[in-house]
Amino acid sequence: MSEEPNPLVQFSNALTARVDTTKPITVAIQLAHGRRLTGIVWRPDVIVTSDQSLSKGDEFEVVTAGGSVVTAKIVGRDPGTNIAILRLPAPIRSFSITAGKSQVGAVVIAIGADGMGGASARLGIVNIDGPEWHSSHGGLIDRRLVLDLRLARHEEGGPVFDVAGNCIGMSTFGPRRQVLVIPTATIERVVPLLLKDGRVARGWLGVALQAVAVPDALRETADQSSGLMVMTVIKDGPAAQAGIVAGDIILSVDGTSTHRFRKIARHFGSDSIGRKTDLRLIRSGKVITVQTSIVERPAA
């Protein structure tokens, strides 16, 4: 009499098989002082990884599946979406990446590179699946995906799959080492721009800002308790040309309160370049409105 298949064994075998199929697209990027980062072979000759953890440089040694070491060159970086891409000297074996859909409670597998041509794996669930959001650098992220799992530092930048084998995106660290996912849709949107121009154009006013409290005497007039103080103004930048000066406290951008910086980041996307914008601000104890133009942020 045959025994019934053990569901846990079947599940374990399915996960093992899933990890095996991802090895060809998972690579280790060698950094200074023995550190490393994981990358994804997004196209046969293009690697995607986490920009925030990739050190400065033009070239990096990459350990591919099986342990081969090649040199990849930086093609483009976008701090706004935390995506960096490198080009391999020649295409390597890869497979087509299919975008997956996430939902709270779904089981996911985060893959990392072990630095020797193999892979590591972490099992977790989707803890938060929220709407699109803007990073503190102004990049639009298509979904807010937070995972309930832990990653080692070298595993950041690897692919995250659902149990069906579809890729929901790239792992990265958020505040307090929270594990986030840069969605596949975001990567697919940004990679062509980086391949073309090496960067993603975004709007810029030419000011450095610091969150501050609105003076008590002006809170009723300002109708908010905090704003963004102009700390420095770039010479000949759009803000300088509009007469913005250090010490001004910006209350809103086109009617959007600066109480939370990320809420105004959407006003400085690629489509904002060349547009006029109204800044409501406090200057010398008075609330005034100043109009300025948004220009393209200079290359770093």
Side-chain angles (χ1 to χ4, degrees), residues 17 89 126 134 164 293:
V126 177
H134 285 80
S293 297

Side-chain angles (χ1 to χ4, degrees), residues 245-269:
V245 297
D248 286 347
I249 300 176
I250 300 176
L251 299 172
S252 66
V253 177
D254 285 338
T256 300
S257 170
T258 58
H259 179 66
R260 296 189 67 179
F261 174 77
R262 290 185 179 180
K263 286 190 175 181
I264 66 168
R266 68 191 63 184
H267 291 275
F268 298 94

Side-chain angles (χ1 to χ4, degrees), residues 6-87:
N6 187 317
L8 289 178
V9 172
Q10 290 181 317
F11 182 60
S12 176
N13 291 340
L15 292 179
T16 301
R18 186 62 59 208
V19 173
D20 282 342
T21 63
T22 68
K23 288 180 181 178
I25 70 162
T26 307
V27 300
I29 303 168
Q30 305 286 19
L31 307 177
H33 309 297
R35 296 181 300 113
R36 64 182 188 273
L37 185 64
T38 297
I40 309 168
V41 183
W42 201 258
R43 298 184 182 182
D45 64 341
V46 173
I47 295 171
V48 168
T49 191
S50 170
D51 178 71
Q52 69 181 7
S53 295
L54 185 67
S55 52
K56 293 182 179 180
D58 298 321
E59 295 182 343
F60 294 88
E61 287 192 342
V62 173
V63 183
T64 64
S68 298
V69 180
V70 297
T71 299
K73 295 184 178 181
I74 287 286
V75 176
R77 306 181 71 146
D78 180 38
T81 54
N82 192 33
I83 295 171
I85 61 173
L86 301 86
R87 192 182 294 278

Side-chain angles (χ1 to χ4, degrees), residues 15 18-20 22-23 25-26 38-40 106-114 118-126 145-152 154-163 165-173 178-182:
L15 292 179
R18 186 62 59 208
V19 173
D20 282 342
T22 68
K23 288 180 181 178
I25 70 162
T26 307
T38 297
I40 309 168
V107 175
V108 295
I109 312 167
I111 307 298
D114 65 5
S120 60
R122 304 275 182 168
L123 187 67
I125 63 171
V126 177
L145 300 176
V146 182
L147 305 184
D148 185 14
L149 56 77
R150 293 185 178 183
L151 284 182
H154 69 269
E155 294 171 321
E156 181 186 9
V160 180
F161 292 92
D162 61 23
V163 293
N166 301 315
C167 183
I168 68 171
M170 174 187 76
S171 67
T172 190
F173 288 118
Q178 188 178 50
V179 178
L180 309 180
V181 176
I182 305 300

Side-chain angles (χ1 to χ4, degrees), residues 205-271:
L205 291 179
V207 293
L209 303 171
Q210 174 67 48
V212 296
V214 171
D216 291 341
L218 292 171
R219 287 193 179 186
E220 184 174 351
T221 303
D223 196 29
Q224 62 191 70
S225 61
S226 63
L228 295 174
M229 177 177 283
V230 177
M231 307 303 292
T232 57
V233 182
I234 304 301
K235 184 180 179 181
D236 298 327
Q241 294 178 19
I244 302 295
V245 297
D248 286 347
I249 300 176
I250 300 176
L251 299 172
S252 66
V253 177
D254 285 338
T256 300
S257 170
T258 58
H259 179 66
R260 296 189 67 179
F261 174 77
R262 290 185 179 180
K263 286 190 175 181
I264 66 168
R266 68 191 63 184
H267 291 275
F268 298 94
S270 299
D271 59 348

